[in-house]
Each structure stands twice: as C-alpha cells, then as structure tokens.
Amino acid sequence: MSEPTSSSTPGRAPVLGAAPPARPGAFSGQVAIVTGSESGIGRETARQLCQQGAAVVLNGRNPERLRQTCEAFEAAGYAVVSCLADVTDYPSCQRLVATAVQAFGRLDILVANACISQRAYFVDMQPEVFRQVLDSNVYGAVYPLMAALPQLTQARGSVTFISSISALNGMPSGSAYCAGKAALSNLAHTLRLELASTGIHLGVVHIGFTQNDPDKRVLDAGGQPVPIAYRPPRWQKSQTEVAGIILGHIRRRRQRTVISALGWLILLVHTYFPRLGDWFVRTSFRRFRHWYE
C-alpha cells in the first residue's frame, strides 16, 4: 500500500481547535471519526451523524472519492473535514485523530468501519492476500482505537467496530474476512473488561447483506479487485437503514447489535444448534454456489 497523506477539505473549513458548531440532534456538539467514510455504509453513517448534530472527520484512501464526498457534505452545510489515510498504518491513524482534534478540539466517537473483503477460497489464496484482508479488518480497527484512546478516555466516548453476520458462523470463500470480523467481537469484549473504569463504550455491530455502491470491489485469490458475490435483493437492507441502526447502537451504547432477522437466526443456530448451522451452510454452498463465488 502506498504511503497515505492527510488533507482537510477546502471551503467552509472549521476554525482549528474550535468546538463543533451547534446543530440540533442526538449527537449535537460531539465529534466523530468514521473510517472508510468516503463511500458505502461509512459514508451514510457519517451523513446521519452530521444530520443529528455531530462534526465528522471523513476518511478513506481514494483521494478523488474522498474529495467528492467531503464537498457534497459541505454543500449540505455539515461540519466536516477529511483525512486521506490508510488505517492499517499506525502513524496515519495518529494523523487521523490529530485532524479531529485540530479541527474540532475533541473526539467523542470512533466508528471503525474501513475494511477489505474477499471472494476467494482459502486453498487458492496467496499468503499476502490473506494477510491484507485480515490486516484491514483487525489492524484497521486496532490502530485507530490506539491512536484515539486518550481523547476517547477524556470524553468517556464511544467506539463501534463494524463486523458482519458472517463472523457468527463463518462463510465459504470468506476465510480471512470472517476471521478478522470475528476477532473484533473478542477484542471488544476484552477491552470492555480492561477499560471498564474509563467509561468508554465499546460495541460491535454485525451487519448483514446490504446494498452496495455499484463500483464496490473485493479481492480475489490473487489480490485483484472483483465485484462482490451475488446477494438476493430481498435479503438486502439499504445503506440508510444500516446506518440508522448503527447510530441507534451508538446512542444506546449497546455492546452488540445484530442486523437483520437472518443475522439473529445465524446467532441462535450457531449458539444452540451448531451442527444444524454447519449443515445449512454446506447445503446452501452446494445448491447456491453463486452466492459465494
């Protein structure tokens, strides 16, 4: 990965170090970082945080897409700045947090959303591709939190790791992705125990099938970007719906939120009837292989 740089969007930039402008809403006066917010669920989550009163630091690795998103948010009158940064690089995460503090004077909310997914069977994957996917999901959440911890401790703030329902029971063609997303649940549990005295909220949201941007890409076994696997449209939630659930999770400071009836079914079966769950996945894998490939 290339060395990232940071940038603040030109235009109506906030005064450095100033408190975020007052805007009515559930998150009025709070400052949030949403990683991977140049597109997709991250962008919609950032939008709704802004609509509910937060000042938001937008983040991504695609400079043109990040610029377009930030300009659109500014045109809507939202309090935003942007930071072009790779969240698997710790110094870049330090700059990401510094951007929030320099622009808005504090940090209250971290949504660790950025990640890379895959469409590849384990037996075919190149080792460096497995590591790239795993790193994006694990270190892409760990490093922003490490960098943000002093500010979040001061604010008694909120941390939300964006995981997946596929982490609850595994998914063929998603080994590294599922492993990384599952790790976030244990990480959040461990940190709740370690950081109980700080008052920081640590939660995990397991998202289900969601409508994606048309240009959404994941990695194949050799590391090349390919379209995401087929998902039945009737099973998909909109990005707006998913972002609304994420905001409700943050507002209520919940430990775990599982999105969709399918997600709760997977959790129930995996917990109490694991052999049945494995049978169902193997059967669907044989009969509906295009869901995975």
Side-chain angles (χ1 to χ4, degrees):
M1 298 182 183
S2 58
E3 177 64 23
T5 59
S6 64
S7 64
S8 293
T9 301
R12 293 188 296 271
V15 178
L16 293 182
R23 186 186 183 98
F27 297 96
S28 181
Q30 298 187 54
V31 177
I33 291 174
V34 183
T35 67
S37 47
E38 64 184 15
S39 62
I41 294 170
R43 177 181 58 206
E44 188 57 34
T45 300
R47 187 195 315 277
Q48 292 192 27
L49 281 167
C50 288
Q51 290 171 345
Q52 295 195 29
V56 177
V57 180
L58 302 171
N59 161 256
R61 295 193 305 156
N62 184 308
E64 181 60 21
R65 184 177 295 163
L66 183 60
R67 181 189 63 80
Q68 290 174 355
T69 298
C70 206
E71 288 181 352
F73 279 31
E74 283 194 329
Y78 302 148
V80 292
V81 292
S82 67
C83 184
L84 187 69
D86 178 353
V87 291
T88 64
D89 177 73
Y90 183 63
S92 296
C93 292
Q94 291 177 304
R95 291 191 292 102
L96 177 61
V97 173
T99 298
V101 176
Q102 290 168 6
F104 301 116
R106 58 184 294 159
L107 178 62
D108 303 275
I109 298 167
L110 171 64
V111 181
N113 165 76
C115 73
I116 299 172
S117 190
Q118 65 173 107
R119 278 179 60 187
Y121 298 123
F122 180 82
V123 68
D124 300 321
M125 288 188 76
Q126 296 298 312
E128 62 273 15
V129 179
F130 191 100
R131 180 171 183 171
Q132 184 180 0
V133 174
L134 189 64
D135 281 359
S136 76
N137 284 278
V138 177
Y139 292 110
V142 169
Y143 286 166
L145 176 54
M146 283 183 166
L149 195 56
Q151 292 294 327
L152 292 169
T153 300
Q154 183 176 343
R156 299 176 69 87
S158 172
V159 180
T160 295
F161 297 139
I162 303 301
S163 184
S164 166
I165 62 172
S166 64
L168 301 174
N169 195 52
M171 178 184 69
S173 77
S175 54
Y177 177 78
C178 293
K181 291 303 188 187
L184 296 179
S185 292
N186 209 324
L187 175 64
H189 189 182
T190 301
L191 294 181
R192 277 195 293 270
L193 299 174
E194 287 189 16
L195 302 175
S197 64
T198 67
I200 294 176
H201 160 243
L202 286 137
V204 180
V205 175
H206 295 272
I207 65 171
F209 297 149
T210 305
Q211 295 170 0
N212 292 288
D213 293 347
D215 60 349
K216 168 80 172 181
R217 293 295 183 268
V218 299
L219 298 186
D220 67 11
Q224 296 302 308
V226 295
I228 195 167
Y230 172 80
R231 298 288 184 263
R234 67 182 180 277
W235 291 3
Q236 296 182 358
K237 287 189 176 295
S238 70
Q239 293 177 4
T240 300
E241 290 175 309
V242 171
I245 294 170
I246 292 171
L247 262 66
H249 165 94
I250 298 170
R251 187 172 59 250
R252 297 179 180 90
R253 298 174 79 88
R254 298 188 63 178
Q255 292 186 2
R256 178 170 66 180
T257 297
V258 179
I259 296 180
S260 81
L262 175 62
W264 279 109
L265 179 61
I266 290 173
L267 179 61
L268 174 67
V269 172
H270 174 67
T271 302
Y272 296 105
F273 311 101
R275 291 186 178 181
L276 176 62
D278 289 349
W279 173 84
F280 178 81
V281 172
R282 289 195 300 267
T283 300
S284 69
F285 182 50
R286 289 194 301 268
R287 297 186 60 184
F288 305 103
R289 207 175 183 93
H290 60 292
W291 289 3
Y292 303 95
E293 298 181 349

